[in-house]
Amino acid sequence: MADTTILDKEELRTFVADVLDVDEADLTDDADFVKTLGVDSLMALEVMVVLEKKYGVKLDEREMKDITCLRKVHDLLVSKLAK
């Protein structure tokens, strides 16, 4: 299992909520970006671009499609940053 101390989930929550312009309380670990928060493909792409810039990682198209909630974003970034 990856070391989750590499990336603070609450800091990530604040950052993603700001990019998506949603309330942090609504951005629970398992809230579905599309079904629950109404994120469209353009907003999802914007999140990926800013995450790549902020954390210095590269996300491919397949990974972007798999990211549907904050927990999955966190897990993916932790695995990328641990390399």
Side-chain angles (χ1 to χ4, degrees), residues 9-19 22 24 27 70:
K9 191 184 289 182
E10 294 311 310
E11 178 182 308
L12 179 63
R13 183 185 322 278
T14 300
F15 183 70
V16 173
D18 185 52
V19 173
V22 298
E24 282 183 52
L27 187 59
L70 185 68

Side-chain angles (χ1 to χ4, degrees), residues 5 7 14 18 54 57 66 69 82:
T5 60
L7 177 65
T14 300
D18 185 52
K54 179 172 177 67
V57 297
D66 291 339
C69 65

Side-chain angles (χ1 to χ4, degrees), residues 4 6-16 27-30 55 70-72 74-75 78:
T4 57
I6 294 172
L7 177 65
D8 181 85
K9 191 184 289 182
E10 294 311 310
E11 178 182 308
L12 179 63
R13 183 185 322 278
T14 300
F15 183 70
V16 173
L27 187 59
T28 62
D29 288 357
D30 297 309
Y55 296 104
L70 185 68
R71 180 183 318 279
K72 290 184 179 182
H74 182 262
D75 292 348
V78 165

